[in-house]
Amino acid sequence: MQEAGRGPHDMGGESAGPVDQAAHDRLMWEKRVDALVTLLGHKDRQVLRVDELRRGIEQLGAAAYDRMSYYERWVASMTNVLLEKGIITSDELGRRMAEVEARQAEEAGR
Amino acid sequence: MTDQHAGHDHTPPADQDGPLTYYQTMEIALRELLVEKGVVTADQIRAAVEAMDARTPAAGGRVVAKAWCDLDFKQRLIADGTAACEELGIDMGPTRLVVVENTDDIHNVIVCTLCSCYPRMLLGPPPDWYKSRAYRSRVVREPRAVLREFGTELPDHFDVRVHDSTADMRYLVLPRRPDGTSNLSEEALADLVGRDCLVGVTLPRLP
Amino acid sequence: MNARFGPGDAVRVRVAYPPGHVRTPYYIRGREGVVERVCGAFRNPEELAYGRSDGQPMALYRVRFLQRDVWPDYAEGGGDTLDVEIYEHWLEPTAARESTE
């Protein structure tokens, strides 16, 4: 019963394998996600607190938490919090994502 | 980079060869909408990425070398880490820094088990291993075993202090100054201090 | 800031498993340690996480635990410790402390 109150992020003391020390260079889109989180959390805006970002990550659920990459979790959580706050709407985001995909397909076909 | 001119951006990201993933598409769409709504500007995003790229563990090394050479500074650093770093002209932003000192019989190591809190203003972004499930799970329970994986073998008489940064403070390890370095300049000392020893999984390099 | 505890006070982390955004790691609940320092007053991140930012600041502590008190089977050094940042509402005085008050 107590384990049910433990989030997928709350892993201190769990057993796990060796620490993989390999590094990857952060990709440009990952840096932009990081920059957006910093900017939206800036005291002049306070559109997204780190506390809210963390809460959103925890709410992705255990399966998603483990499947998604670090910055995938960040962008998914950031998006969800901005949706909750009405700063963006699901409809406009869905339409824009379709546009982005179409643009990319057009460029790939060129 | 021109791909940050959101809104009418037809340049694919420099790192993108294959089709965009779902979350990469989300990032582009979200960023374009936020710029169009005036929440952030493309210039601000670009500047934030540049500022992030400019932050490296060298700042942390500079702080440590200064503390090794200037005992008054070291005392101020331990009393108020944020103020002492700002003395050196380092922008600490909202970071509240706690500096923990290694001694002849105490070794400190930092983790954030709940997420990946890290003194980014001093060290840049955290390495992948710091964010990994293995590190976050194990270092609070078997720190010496984890340190051994990093090649750090501590004598038995050391006490290991693990610091889990779960809330509002950020932590920096002040390593012990290596023996045989009394002749080195502050700049040369700073070069001995790599990122990993500032997190506490390794010791400073020997000259 | 009114801090209920001071450095050196013995405290126990409350045993509770609430849903929502919680800043007290699961592994430390119910464990007993000693306040190492009062970090200052901060607004409760467990409220901030839901966009509620009008709460009063509350004391945040660093609490030091002996590793062997955290993990009964701890196999490394006997003097090894674990420091965790814990907000005041997650702490209670230990029985030993209460009896001396």
Side-chain angles (χ1 to χ4, degrees):
Chain A
M1 187 196 82
Q2 294 169 355
E3 281 288 339
R6 181 175 200 170
H9 65 291
D10 190 355
M11 59 186 72
E14 295 286 275
S15 45
V19 177
D20 179 359
Q21 295 172 41
H24 92 286
D25 287 331
R26 289 192 307 167
L27 303 175
M28 196 59 210
W29 80 273
E30 297 178 314
K31 293 182 182 185
R32 288 193 304 253
V33 170
D34 203 310
L36 276 177
V37 166
T38 301
L39 289 168
L40 296 180
H42 191 275
K43 59 178 167 29
D44 294 343
R45 293 186 195 82
Q46 297 227 341
V47 174
L48 172 76
R49 289 183 166 276
V50 172
D51 316 279
E52 292 171 307
L53 180 78
R54 286 174 61 170
R55 185 259 299 172
I57 290 170
E58 294 160 16
Q59 285 179 335
L60 293 171
Y65 190 94
D66 284 334
R67 189 179 60 241
M68 293 165 72
S69 74
Y70 187 75
Y71 284 105
E72 286 176 349
R73 295 196 291 259
W74 276 36
V75 73
S77 171
M78 172 166 55
T79 300
N80 285 341
V81 174
L82 296 175
L83 287 169
E84 286 171 8
K85 294 190 171 190
I87 290 167
I88 49 167
T89 69
S90 181
D91 182 62
E92 66 186 345
L93 186 62
R95 289 174 191 276
R96 181 58 60 93
M97 286 174 70
E99 272 176 46
V100 170
E101 278 183 4
R103 279 194 324 239
Q104 221 236 348
E106 191 190 326
E107 275 151 18
R110 225 176 252 162
Chain B
M1 292 298 301
T2 55
D3 59 323
Q4 287 154 358
H5 292 290
H8 305 281
D9 162 18
H10 292 247
T11 311
D15 51 39
Q16 190 62 47
D17 292 329
L20 296 172
T21 67
Y22 180 78
Y23 294 104
Q24 288 170 336
T25 306
M26 186 185 291
E27 182 272 324
I28 295 170
L30 181 68
R31 171 165 47 85
E32 290 180 359
L33 290 170
L34 289 172
V35 169
E36 286 166 26
K37 289 167 185 283
V39 179
V40 292
T41 68
D43 281 342
Q44 287 167 339
I45 298 168
R46 192 162 34 245
V49 169
E50 281 170 12
M52 201 169 14
D53 280 344
R55 271 181 227 121
T56 74
R62 201 152 63 83
V63 170
V64 165
K66 172 85 174 162
W68 284 345
C69 295
D70 180 343
L71 283 181
D72 288 339
F73 177 78
K74 183 175 121 178
Q75 282 170 358
R76 294 198 296 279
L77 183 67
I78 288 170
D80 184 342
T82 305
C85 291
E86 285 171 346
E87 269 182 47
L88 301 188
I90 298 166
D91 172 16
M92 295 297 284
T95 302
R96 299 271 305 257
L97 185 73
V98 173
V99 175
V100 290
E101 184 185 11
N102 287 352
T103 69
D104 292 341
D105 49 17
I106 293 171
H107 183 87
N108 294 281
V109 58
I110 312 301
V111 63
C112 173
T113 60
L114 295 179
C115 57
S116 56
C117 299
Y118 188 77
R120 288 162 157 250
M121 303 305 278
L122 282 175
L123 302 186
D128 288 338
W129 58 259
Y130 186 84
K131 304 184 282 192
S132 70
R133 178 168 283 277
Y135 184 74
R136 289 165 54 194
S137 298
R138 291 177 52 219
V139 80
V140 288
R141 187 170 192 151
E142 42 174 352
R144 289 170 200 255
V146 172
L147 291 180
R148 226 171 279 129
E149 290 175 21
F150 283 86
T152 306
E153 194 77 50
L154 294 174
D156 286 345
H157 73 275
F158 271 68
D159 287 343
V160 175
R161 292 185 179 168
V162 179
H163 303 266
D164 189 353
S165 51
T166 49
D168 285 280
M169 316 304 279
R170 298 292 176 269
Y171 295 86
L172 183 79
V173 174
L174 174 56
R176 208 178 135 270
R177 181 171 176 162
D179 294 332
T181 57
S182 53
N183 303 330
L184 293 187
S185 67
E186 203 172 303
E187 290 72 26
L189 286 169
D191 288 341
L192 305 179
V193 183
R195 176 194 69 201
D196 291 357
C197 74
L198 299 170
V199 182
V201 293
T202 63
L203 303 174
R205 281 183 291 277
L206 297 176
Chain C
M1 178 189 60
N2 277 328
R4 183 181 179 192
F5 305 106
D9 282 354
V11 290
R12 182 189 304 109
V13 184
R14 284 176 44 236
V15 178
Y17 302 97
H21 180 69
V22 171
R23 281 295 173 90
T24 299
Y26 181 92
Y27 71 80
I28 210 67
R29 300 183 203 169
R31 303 304 188 204
E32 293 184 10
V34 171
V35 173
E36 190 266 339
R37 73 176 75 182
V38 185
C39 299
F42 297 88
R43 281 183 291 175
N44 184 356
E46 298 175 357
E47 290 292 308
L48 294 173
Y50 296 92
R52 296 188 289 271
S53 57
D54 53 349
Q56 288 299 308
M58 67 159 73
L60 173 68
Y61 303 90
R62 282 196 73 65
V63 182
R64 179 161 296 171
F65 303 85
L66 274 174
Q67 285 279 26
R68 57 172 192 243
D69 289 341
V70 178
W71 316 106
D73 59 349
Y74 189 73
E76 299 188 351
D80 289 0
T81 57
L82 177 53
D83 285 14
V84 186
E85 277 166 59
I86 304 178
Y87 280 91
E88 185 164 281
H89 66 294
W90 272 97
L91 295 176
E92 56 196 11
T94 64
R97 175 189 152 93
E98 277 172 329
S99 67
T100 61
E101 278 179 345

